[in-house]
Amino acid sequence: MADGIPELDYRIDLSVVGNLTAVQTDQVLWYLVLCSPPDIRIMCVTYQSNGVAVGDRVIVRGGYRRRDANHVLLDPCLASRPEQ
């Protein structure tokens, strides 16, 4: 779905639902990753983990930026658990 989206001079907001494959922090920012190769990997850069962990189902929403053919960055980004 992300193939063919050109570089644009305006912001695209994207929402994705999936299971976390990685959760890391540098003590300032949190990096939440969804999807694994061969699928495109999506990284949500946020200020809080909201208590999520690897394997949790989350919704991430943020400003879309394509890093390369295999990676999408959502920054700034918000992450939450889907309502049950």
Side-chain angles (χ1 to χ4, degrees), residues 11-72:
R11 179 176 162 149
I12 296 175
D13 288 322
L14 181 68
S15 295
V16 179
V17 177
N19 293 338
L20 290 171
T21 59
V23 176
Q24 298 179 356
T25 185
D26 62 8
Q27 304 305 316
V28 176
L29 297 172
W30 285 87
Y31 306 94
L32 311 176
V33 180
L34 290 86
C35 306
S36 296
D39 296 327
I40 194 166
R41 296 188 79 189
I42 300 168
M43 179 184 291
C44 169
V45 180
T46 187
Y47 289 104
Q48 296 179 340
S49 72
N50 291 335
V52 298
V54 171
D56 287 353
R57 189 157 184 82
V58 296
I59 301 172
V60 294
R61 300 173 181 92
Y64 169 91
R65 184 169 39 150
R66 187 74 178 253
R67 297 292 296 182
D68 59 36
N70 300 313
H71 298 91
V72 165

